[in-house]
mmCIF file of all heavy atoms in Angstrom:
data_model
loop_
_atom_site.group_PDB
_atom_site.id
_atom_site.type_symbol
_atom_site.label_atom_id
_atom_site.label_comp_id
_atom_site.label_asym_id
_atom_site.label_seq_id
_atom_site.Cartn_x
_atom_site.Cartn_y
_atom_site.Cartn_z
ATOM 1 N N GLY T 139 170.700 141.802 160.711
ATOM 2 C CA GLY T 139 170.008 142.820 161.489
ATOM 3 C C GLY T 139 170.561 144.217 161.317
ATOM 4 O O GLY T 139 170.044 145.171 161.912
ATOM 5 N N GLY T 140 171.575 144.346 160.467
ATOM 6 C CA GLY T 140 172.201 145.649 160.278
ATOM 7 C C GLY T 140 171.873 146.319 158.961
ATOM 8 O O GLY T 140 172.503 147.312 158.600
ATOM 9 N N GLY T 141 170.931 145.776 158.216
ATOM 10 C CA GLY T 141 170.601 146.360 156.917
ATOM 11 C C GLY T 141 171.686 146.149 155.891
ATOM 12 O O GLY T 141 171.958 147.013 155.055
ATOM 13 N N TYR T 142 172.304 144.976 155.910
ATOM 14 C CA TYR T 142 173.410 144.651 155.017
ATOM 15 C C TYR T 142 172.903 144.504 153.581
ATOM 16 O O TYR T 142 171.716 144.303 153.337
ATOM 17 C CB TYR T 142 174.044 143.340 155.490
ATOM 18 C CG TYR T 142 175.463 143.104 155.010
ATOM 19 C CD1 TYR T 142 176.517 143.886 155.475
ATOM 20 C CD2 TYR T 142 175.747 142.080 154.110
ATOM 21 C CE1 TYR T 142 177.821 143.645 155.047
ATOM 22 C CE2 TYR T 142 177.036 141.838 153.676
ATOM 23 C CZ TYR T 142 178.076 142.627 154.146
ATOM 24 O OH TYR T 142 179.361 142.402 153.725
ATOM 25 N N TYR T 143 173.832 144.628 152.610
ATOM 26 C CA TYR T 143 173.470 144.410 151.219
ATOM 27 C C TYR T 143 172.783 143.050 151.043
ATOM 28 O O TYR T 143 173.252 142.043 151.566
ATOM 29 C CB TYR T 143 174.701 144.459 150.314
ATOM 30 C CG TYR T 143 175.236 145.848 150.078
ATOM 31 C CD1 TYR T 143 176.468 146.231 150.585
ATOM 32 C CD2 TYR T 143 174.510 146.772 149.344
ATOM 33 C CE1 TYR T 143 176.966 147.517 150.366
ATOM 34 C CE2 TYR T 143 174.988 148.049 149.123
ATOM 35 C CZ TYR T 143 176.221 148.424 149.628
ATOM 36 O OH TYR T 143 176.698 149.688 149.414
ATOM 37 N N GLN T 144 171.677 143.045 150.319
ATOM 38 C CA GLN T 144 170.917 141.835 149.987
ATOM 39 C C GLN T 144 170.329 141.142 151.209
ATOM 40 O O GLN T 144 169.878 139.993 151.118
ATOM 41 C CB GLN T 144 171.777 140.846 149.190
ATOM 42 C CG GLN T 144 172.262 141.403 147.852
ATOM 43 C CD GLN T 144 172.961 140.374 147.001
ATOM 44 O OE1 GLN T 144 173.509 139.386 147.503
ATOM 45 N NE2 GLN T 144 172.955 140.578 145.699
ATOM 46 N N GLU T 145 170.301 141.819 152.345
ATOM 47 C CA GLU T 145 169.731 141.195 153.537
ATOM 48 C C GLU T 145 168.208 141.246 153.473
ATOM 49 O O GLU T 145 167.602 142.305 153.378
ATOM 50 C CB GLU T 145 170.210 141.882 154.809
ATOM 51 C CG GLU T 145 169.696 141.188 156.068
ATOM 52 C CD GLU T 145 170.134 141.876 157.354
ATOM 53 O OE1 GLU T 145 170.819 142.913 157.282
ATOM 54 O OE2 GLU T 145 169.774 141.365 158.434
ATOM 55 N N VAL T 146 167.599 140.076 153.512
ATOM 56 C CA VAL T 146 166.143 139.915 153.494
ATOM 57 C C VAL T 146 165.790 138.982 154.642
ATOM 58 O O VAL T 146 166.535 138.055 154.958
ATOM 59 C CB VAL T 146 165.668 139.322 152.147
ATOM 60 C CG1 VAL T 146 164.179 139.007 152.180
ATOM 61 C CG2 VAL T 146 165.989 140.271 151.002
ATOM 62 N N ASP T 147 164.649 139.202 155.267
ATOM 63 C CA ASP T 147 164.201 138.321 156.342
ATOM 64 C C ASP T 147 163.699 137.028 155.708
ATOM 65 O O ASP T 147 162.514 136.859 155.425
ATOM 66 C CB ASP T 147 163.094 139.003 157.149
ATOM 67 C CG ASP T 147 162.695 138.198 158.379
ATOM 68 O OD1 ASP T 147 163.085 137.012 158.474
ATOM 69 O OD2 ASP T 147 161.976 138.747 159.238
ATOM 70 N N LEU T 148 164.620 136.088 155.498
ATOM 71 C CA LEU T 148 164.288 134.867 154.763
ATOM 72 C C LEU T 148 163.371 133.940 155.562
ATOM 73 O O LEU T 148 162.565 133.209 154.975
ATOM 74 C CB LEU T 148 165.563 134.133 154.363
ATOM 75 C CG LEU T 148 166.469 134.887 153.376
ATOM 76 C CD1 LEU T 148 167.712 134.071 153.057
ATOM 77 C CD2 LEU T 148 165.712 135.207 152.095
ATOM 78 N N LEU T 149 163.483 133.955 156.876
ATOM 79 C CA LEU T 149 162.585 133.120 157.669
ATOM 80 C C LEU T 149 161.143 133.589 157.518
ATOM 81 O O LEU T 149 160.209 132.769 157.460
ATOM 82 C CB LEU T 149 163.006 133.130 159.138
ATOM 83 C CG LEU T 149 164.321 132.409 159.447
ATOM 84 C CD1 LEU T 149 164.748 132.654 160.886
ATOM 85 C CD2 LEU T 149 164.198 130.910 159.187
ATOM 86 N N ALA T 150 160.949 134.899 157.411
ATOM 87 C CA ALA T 150 159.602 135.415 157.173
ATOM 88 C C ALA T 150 159.174 135.160 155.728
ATOM 89 O O ALA T 150 158.024 134.786 155.470
ATOM 90 C CB ALA T 150 159.548 136.912 157.484
ATOM 91 N N LEU T 151 160.104 135.342 154.796
ATOM 92 C CA LEU T 151 159.789 135.187 153.373
ATOM 93 C C LEU T 151 159.379 133.758 153.039
ATOM 94 O O LEU T 151 158.480 133.529 152.221
ATOM 95 C CB LEU T 151 160.999 135.595 152.532
ATOM 96 C CG LEU T 151 160.830 135.585 151.012
ATOM 97 C CD1 LEU T 151 159.891 136.701 150.576
ATOM 98 C CD2 LEU T 151 162.192 135.745 150.321
ATOM 99 N N TYR T 152 160.011 132.780 153.680
ATOM 100 C CA TYR T 152 159.800 131.367 153.330
ATOM 101 C C TYR T 152 158.828 130.650 154.266
ATOM 102 O O TYR T 152 158.613 129.448 154.128
ATOM 103 C CB TYR T 152 161.148 130.636 153.333
ATOM 104 C CG TYR T 152 161.880 130.739 152.012
ATOM 105 C CD1 TYR T 152 162.402 131.955 151.580
ATOM 106 C CD2 TYR T 152 162.037 129.638 151.186
ATOM 107 C CE1 TYR T 152 163.058 132.070 150.375
ATOM 108 C CE2 TYR T 152 162.698 129.737 149.978
ATOM 109 C CZ TYR T 152 163.203 130.962 149.572
ATOM 110 O OH TYR T 152 163.848 131.057 148.364
ATOM 111 N N LYS T 153 158.220 131.374 155.196
ATOM 112 C CA LYS T 153 157.414 130.690 156.211
ATOM 113 C C LYS T 153 156.160 130.048 155.642
ATOM 114 O O LYS T 153 155.601 129.132 156.253
ATOM 115 C CB LYS T 153 157.040 131.654 157.342
ATOM 116 C CG LYS T 153 156.047 132.734 156.966
ATOM 117 C CD LYS T 153 155.709 133.598 158.176
ATOM 118 C CE LYS T 153 154.680 134.673 157.817
ATOM 119 N NZ LYS T 153 154.343 135.504 158.993
ATOM 120 N N ASP T 154 155.689 130.488 154.480
ATOM 121 C CA ASP T 154 154.528 129.849 153.871
ATOM 122 C C ASP T 154 154.943 128.698 152.964
ATOM 123 O O ASP T 154 154.492 127.568 153.135
ATOM 124 C CB ASP T 154 153.702 130.870 153.077
ATOM 125 C CG ASP T 154 152.496 130.227 152.405
ATOM 126 O OD1 ASP T 154 151.748 129.521 153.109
ATOM 127 O OD2 ASP T 154 152.308 130.418 151.193
ATOM 128 N N VAL T 155 155.824 128.956 152.008
ATOM 129 C CA VAL T 155 156.175 127.919 151.045
ATOM 130 C C VAL T 155 156.855 126.732 151.723
ATOM 131 O O VAL T 155 156.721 125.597 151.298
ATOM 132 C CB VAL T 155 157.056 128.498 149.915
ATOM 133 C CG1 VAL T 155 158.475 128.759 150.371
ATOM 134 C CG2 VAL T 155 157.056 127.581 148.697
#
Side-chain angles (χ1 to χ4, degrees):
Y142 201 69
Y143 285 112
Q144 299 187 335
E145 184 181 1
V146 174
D147 186 347
L148 296 180
L149 291 172
L151 184 69
Y152 274 69
K153 70 178 181 180
D154 179 51
V155 75

